[in-house]
Amino acid sequence: MTGDLTPSTEYRIPFTVGSRRLFSIERSVATLAFSLQDILAGRVPPVPALNSVEGLRVLSAPTAAELRLRSAMPGFLIGSREQYARYFIDMAGSYEDYFSRFSAKTRSTLRRKRRKFEKAAGGSLDLRAYRTPEEIDTFTALAQPLSRRTYQARLLDAGLPEGEAAQAERRDLAAEDRLRAFLLFLDNAPVAYLYLPVERETLVYAYLGFDPGHAGLSPGTVLQMAALENLFAEGRYQYFDFTEGEGAHKALFGTDSVDCASFLMLRPTWANRAVIASLGGFDGTVKSVKRLARQTGVEGTLRRLLR
């Protein structure tokens, strides 16, 4: 049985509305992340010792694993639970085989978006790939400023990691040929990036972002498809893993999915009870507001305000 257990970290429990994180509360937790290989093989990681932390942050646990964790940790509080389909691409076959899985309407839309971007770029697609340590240095220098402008960084704290440690990790992955990164350019300036560590035969969808000033050209979608064409051509990969969390982007490009859940398991202290209760009340209020917005016909306006 295998799993990915990271050391204790200060995890910020988010209180979010739409895509906006309003505030957060920190708790010291260990993180147990299920890889796609774990899930597909039915492997359940062992429950780690939690002597020096307040609990466990579980990412992408399939139903059987969640039940085992709950049974092994009786009395722990469950909170911040998110249930979703974990999407992935089965990369058996060619890019043409993959593209043919889309409906005729979707294929037409994807081709149209690429043509629109190419027209804005002067007639061709400027996609650049990076994989060696030296190339990753170039990628970082170009992608980091772009990442800071993306909504992923500004609203979700999910931009490309910065600092010497993050760059050293990127270089180490590249030196082992375990990293693929891409930039899409417009007028010789990067407008979208994609960062993909490689775990054995699986590409891991770690970071994607695009310049919101060019959202009308769908740079994220154009980059995703162009990068996939490049990656299929390598003939090396079995899966493209979109990791935890749902999203229209993942649902569109994924070929398969597995039902999973991410959640926190905290010790039953009064402080942790207060945090879990506050989060539950907050999320319940947000759902009520969204329901009222749908009933009164202002859901679209509310969604735009929360972007």
Side-chain angles (χ1 to χ4, degrees):
M1 297 189 295
T2 62
D4 180 14
L5 176 62
T6 63
S8 168
T9 59
E10 291 298 322
Y11 173 61
R12 299 198 301 178
I13 302 172
F15 287 68
T16 61
V17 180
S19 60
R20 292 185 181 273
R21 175 179 292 183
L22 301 186
F23 61 94
S24 60
I25 298 175
E26 288 192 351
R27 284 293 182 271
S28 177
V29 298
T31 300
L32 184 64
F34 286 73
S35 71
L36 181 63
Q37 290 89 345
D38 288 333
I39 296 169
L40 295 181
R43 294 190 295 256
V44 181
V47 178
L50 302 174
N51 299 328
S52 61
V53 297
E54 295 182 70
L56 186 67
R57 183 186 178 209
V58 181
L59 301 178
S60 284
T63 302
E66 180 176 356
L67 293 175
R68 172 171 173 175
L69 286 169
R70 286 174 179 260
S71 176
M73 300 167 67
F76 272 66
L77 306 172
I78 308 297
S80 193
R81 188 178 185 279
E82 179 188 6
Q83 188 167 347
Y84 50 85
R86 178 166 175 164
Y87 290 97
F88 61 95
I89 298 172
D90 185 339
M91 297 187 70
S94 66
Y95 175 78
E96 290 71 25
D97 295 331
Y98 168 70
F99 192 70
S100 69
R101 295 190 182 193
F102 293 104
S103 68
K105 181 179 179 181
T106 300
R107 292 198 300 271
S108 176
T109 298
L110 292 171
R111 292 190 184 103
R112 176 176 51 79
K113 288 183 176 182
R114 173 160 176 158
R115 288 196 300 268
K116 182 179 179 180
F117 192 95
E118 288 175 337
K119 182 178 180 180
S124 62
L125 200 68
D126 188 357
L127 175 74
R128 305 181 195 179
Y130 306 84
R131 58 190 290 181
T132 68
E134 293 74 24
E135 290 171 348
I136 290 301
D137 288 341
T138 301
F139 169 82
T140 300
L142 293 167
Q144 212 100 73
L146 169 60
S147 174
R148 297 182 192 122
R149 299 197 300 272
T150 66
Y151 89 90
Q152 287 90 347
R154 291 186 294 105
L155 301 180
L156 304 176
D157 292 333
L160 192 68
E162 301 193 25
E164 293 182 4
Q167 181 59 11
E169 180 181 2
R170 286 190 282 266
R171 287 184 59 88
D172 288 345
L173 287 172
E176 298 172 359
D177 196 27
R178 294 175 51 220
L179 182 62
R180 297 292 181 268
F182 298 88
L183 284 169
L184 182 63
F185 287 78
L186 181 65
D187 297 330
N188 210 37
V191 294
Y193 70 90
L194 179 61
Y195 179 88
L196 307 166
V198 180
E199 295 181 357
R200 296 185 290 276
E201 298 177 340
T202 299
L203 293 151
V204 180
Y205 180 81
Y207 300 100
L208 177 139
F210 60 87
D211 188 337
H214 295 289
L217 291 174
S218 306
T221 297
V222 174
L223 171 57
Q224 179 75 64
M225 291 302 293
L228 281 171
E229 187 171 8
N230 184 301
L231 294 165
F232 267 98
E234 283 194 53
R236 167 183 173 181
Y237 311 106
Q238 186 174 6
Y239 300 112
F240 185 109
D241 178 17
F242 283 106
T243 70
E244 65 274 357
E246 287 189 350
H249 183 89
K250 299 178 180 183
L252 173 62
F253 294 111
T255 61
D256 302 271
S257 66
V258 181
D259 290 334
C260 294
S262 294
F263 48 93
L264 283 174
M265 304 186 77
L266 298 179
R267 298 183 185 280
T269 64
W270 285 110
N272 288 338
R273 289 184 190 279
V275 169
I276 296 299
S278 297
L279 182 61
F282 180 87
D283 288 343
T285 300
V286 171
K287 289 180 181 178
S288 296
V289 171
K290 289 182 178 179
R291 189 182 307 113
L292 180 61
R294 286 194 298 271
Q295 293 171 350
T296 57
V298 296
E299 184 179 15
T301 301
L302 181 62
R303 189 180 299 113
R304 287 191 292 273
L305 290 173
L306 297 177
R307 286 176 181 171

